[in-house]
Amino acid sequence: MPEALWIVFAFALGLLVKGIGLPPLVGYLGAGFVLSGLAASTGLTIEATDALDHIAHLGVLLLLFTVGLKLKLRSVVSPEVIGGSLLHFGITCLVFTPGLYLLMDLAWGTALLLAIALSFSSTVLAAKVLESKRELRAFHGRVAIGILIMQDLIALGVMSLATGQTPSQWALVVFGLPLLRPLLFRLLDASGHDELLVLLGLLLALVLGGYGFETIGLSPELGALVFGAMLANHPRSQELAKSLWSVKEVFLVGFFLQIGIEGLPDHQAMLFALVAALVLPLKGALFFFLLLAFRLRSRSAFLSSLALTNYSEFGLIVASIALPEWLVPLAISVSLSFVISAPLNRLAHALYERVGQPLARFETRKRHPDEQPLSLGNTRILIMGMGRTGTAAYDWLIRQETNIMGLDSDPAKTQEHQRQGRNVVFADAEDASFWSGLHMPSVEAVILALGDIEGKLIAARTLRKKGFRGYIVAHTMFADEATQIRAAGANDAYLTMNETGVALASHVLNHSPEAQPATAPER
């Protein structure tokens, strides 16, 4: 059974590369090539079946759906995203097209389509890397994802022109999708916390988003992303993303395996892929300087550019429609860029520490509004994470302490708190640029009410590294996480359900007969 071989080789090589500090997806890619080589040398029939192709496609749709769940569209519609993506696309095509025409003796049309295919960056890889580092909501992560969305839209236009097909008239229905948000919110509320929640995610990502958009002539990937983004502002959107995590990860293994199993390349394809890999740094450098021109700090521009320094699976889709004879060379180029980009992104912060000083010289004097240093002034108590727990802590403390501030990484939530009169500002505790520009001269205590364990660990470690000696307290659902938080530098980490039980017991004592004044019985 081919499925048995897929699982064995994917697990073995994934475990191997993880042991040497590389993302498992590099192992999955390697497993595909090993299987392809094994088939060529032994005569075994190992090929990308329809089942593997379908699994890979589902994995991509689920990944884009979960990206959409964490995506705030207002952060995508920005000058650095729109301008950066369009300028990069235009400059890349202007440079690559004549280069390919002259060096490879191609027709102008073929050279242009190849340049377009190489201009795109991988949504799958970038989202996967940013998600694994929990940087999707960081400023540089939002910029990278926004540029990728713009590139996907450009790719959709190119495919439509290449095939001569246009979306059906029913595609106009897409503009009415925001009207469905109240219904989707109610469905999410009614789905509970178990298998119905997972099924709702599959329904929206694969059926309504994927198959629905494909039926009306639009990209199913775009549909999955759109339906995820429509739920991004719901309080339970992150719970939905976590419930789909395992299903998405398993399906994505199929995507990376599929790339390698497509077949071993010939010498010409390898030469093309090698040249494409050599010019890959130019692609990242162009992104870096364009983002600097839009007033990003060198650190944010570097991290965003590194996430985009690869070639895209969307280029393969374009090639399959317009340039089928170039599909294998492009597939090798995409795979090789993945192998290069994945480990570099894993070491992104360490790399910037080495090259950051010379890169900072290229920064503009004016800073992007989201990159301005944050000063806490006379704030004495800081609450990081203004969800239900953080908000409850704020409302209780404000009665005794007026110098209190809340931070949250959700711009919409921040604005709602401000509208209700709370002193809450936008900041992402998982964004290194936030910490580098933070000034907190009067803070005496910090409450870590962030939604995920990684954010709490980062915040606790960074506060101590900055020399903060005040009191740090956090809450968590699990005892092992509480141990990790204390080891990271927090003074205390309380178990949420234990504290809830203590609070309920205190209410009982406060309202017990012994605590109430005696009253005469009625007669």
Side-chain angles (χ1 to χ4, degrees):
M1 292 178 62
E3 294 83 0
L5 286 175
W6 299 342
I7 295 172
V8 170
F9 277 84
F11 176 79
L13 287 177
L15 185 63
L16 177 64
V17 300
K18 183 181 179 182
I20 60 176
L22 293 176
L25 66 88
V26 177
Y28 306 149
L29 280 170
F33 287 120
V34 170
L35 286 170
S36 184
L38 188 64
S41 60
T42 64
L44 291 175
T45 302
I46 301 174
E47 57 185 10
T49 63
D50 291 340
L52 182 61
D53 179 69
H54 192 58
I55 289 172
H57 184 58
L58 295 181
V60 173
L61 293 181
L62 286 173
L63 175 64
L64 292 173
F65 179 73
T66 55
V67 169
L69 288 173
K70 300 181 179 183
L71 183 65
K72 304 299 184 292
L73 292 181
R74 279 176 288 184
S75 65
V76 174
V77 183
S78 60
E80 63 273 10
V81 168
I82 297 175
S85 57
L86 293 179
L87 285 172
H88 190 278
F89 175 75
I91 294 172
T92 301
C93 291
L94 286 174
V95 174
F96 276 25
T97 301
L100 291 168
Y101 172 78
L102 295 173
L103 294 176
M104 304 190 67
D105 193 25
L106 301 175
W108 278 107
T110 301
L112 176 59
L113 286 172
L114 279 176
I116 290 173
L118 293 173
S119 71
F120 302 136
S121 300
S122 173
T123 303
V124 171
L125 180 64
K128 177 80 174 170
V129 168
L130 290 169
E131 184 184 44
S132 66
K133 298 191 295 183
R134 300 183 182 272
E135 293 179 353
L136 276 173
R137 292 188 299 175
F139 178 63
H140 67 271
R142 299 198 310 271
V143 170
I145 292 299
I147 290 174
L148 289 166
I149 293 172
M150 287 294 299
Q151 289 184 343
D152 290 350
L153 293 175
I154 295 172
L156 293 174
V158 171
M159 285 188 287
S160 298
L161 292 174
T163 58
Q165 297 178 351
T166 56
S168 72
Q169 59 184 0
W170 291 104
L172 296 174
V173 175
V174 171
F175 294 103
L177 285 180
L179 298 176
L180 293 178
R181 286 185 70 191
L183 174 61
L184 296 180
F185 277 29
R186 289 190 178 185
L187 286 175
L188 185 52
D189 288 330
S191 297
H193 304 278
D194 299 313
E195 66 274 6
L196 275 179
L197 184 64
V198 178
L199 285 175
L200 175 65
L202 296 176
L203 170 67
L204 297 178
L206 308 181
V207 181
L208 297 181
Y211 181 74
F213 269 53
E214 188 176 15
T215 301
I216 59 177
L218 294 175
S219 165
E221 290 81 7
L222 180 63
L225 187 70
V226 166
F227 270 88
M230 288 174 63
L231 292 173
N233 289 325
H234 193 282
R236 294 183 60 201
S237 62
Q238 299 314 303
E239 181 186 352
L240 176 58
K242 289 179 181 179
S243 72
L244 293 172
W245 187 85
S246 296
V247 180
K248 175 198 66 179
E249 292 295 301
V250 172
F251 285 171
L252 275 177
V253 173
F255 172 79
F256 294 113
L257 273 174
Q258 182 190 40
I259 294 176
I261 294 178
E262 288 295 334
L264 293 175
D266 57 21
H267 294 293
Q268 186 176 7
M270 289 299 296
L271 180 61
F272 177 87
L274 181 61
V275 173
L278 291 175
V279 300
L280 193 59
L282 298 179
K283 181 175 187 175
L286 179 57
F287 270 123
F288 176 75
F289 286 105
L290 284 174
L291 293 176
L292 285 182
F294 284 98
R295 299 183 297 163
L296 268 68
R297 295 171 64 247
S298 61
R299 185 184 190 92
S300 296
F302 178 83
L303 296 176
S304 296
S305 301
L306 200 58
L308 298 167
T309 305
N310 43 64
Y311 297 119
S312 174
E313 63 284 347
F314 243 126
L316 303 181
I317 299 173
V318 173
S320 66
I321 295 173
L323 297 170
E325 69 276 13
W326 285 93
L327 185 57
V328 171
L330 282 173
I332 301 302
S333 301
V334 171
S335 303
L336 188 56
S337 76
F338 280 17
V339 173
I340 296 171
S341 181
L344 287 178
N345 274 280
R346 179 179 173 271
L347 302 171
H349 294 282
L351 287 174
Y352 184 79
E353 293 301 320
R354 294 192 174 190
V355 301
Q357 189 171 358
L359 291 180
R361 300 173 185 171
F362 297 103
E363 290 181 354
T364 60
R365 293 184 179 180
K366 293 183 178 180
R367 293 285 178 85
H368 190 282
D370 285 349
E371 299 260 59
Q372 297 291 342
L374 177 64
S375 176
L376 303 186
N378 60 352
T379 299
R380 295 181 61 195
I381 300 178
L382 178 65
I383 301 177
M384 307 191 74
M386 288 297 291
R388 287 177 295 181
T389 302
T391 302
Y394 184 103
D395 291 342
W396 191 88
L397 286 169
I398 196 65
R399 304 168 189 171
Q400 290 85 25
E401 174 59 63
T402 57
N403 293 326
I404 185 172
M405 179 182 289
L407 305 179
D408 200 274
S409 61
D410 186 337
K413 189 184 297 183
T414 298
Q415 292 177 5
E416 179 62 22
H417 281 302
Q418 292 172 350
R419 189 185 65 80
Q420 296 178 9
R422 298 186 183 95
N423 182 24
V424 179
V425 298
F426 169 81
D428 189 350
E430 298 180 28
D431 187 353
S433 62
F434 157 71
W435 292 106
S436 63
L438 180 64
H439 303 289
M440 42 189 297
S442 303
V443 174
E444 299 174 1
V446 178
I447 297 175
L448 303 180
L450 300 158
D452 60 273
I453 177 63
E454 191 64 27
K456 295 170 187 173
L457 295 176
I458 291 173
R461 290 194 196 104
T462 312
L463 283 166
R464 295 309 186 196
K465 286 181 181 179
K466 288 178 67 69
F468 179 69
R469 297 183 179 181
Y471 183 69
I472 302 177
V473 63
H475 78 96
T476 181
M477 293 290 293
F478 307 103
D480 60 330
E481 290 185 356
T483 301
Q484 294 178 52
I485 295 170
R486 295 190 192 98
N491 298 90
D492 289 305
Y494 295 101
L495 297 179
T496 305
M497 302 311 295
N498 287 1
E499 292 300 300
T500 302
V502 172
L504 288 173
S506 66
H507 286 301
V508 171
L509 290 177
N510 291 335
H511 291 81
S512 63
E514 293 80 3
Q516 302 296 325
T519 55
E522 294 183 4
R523 295 184 179 179

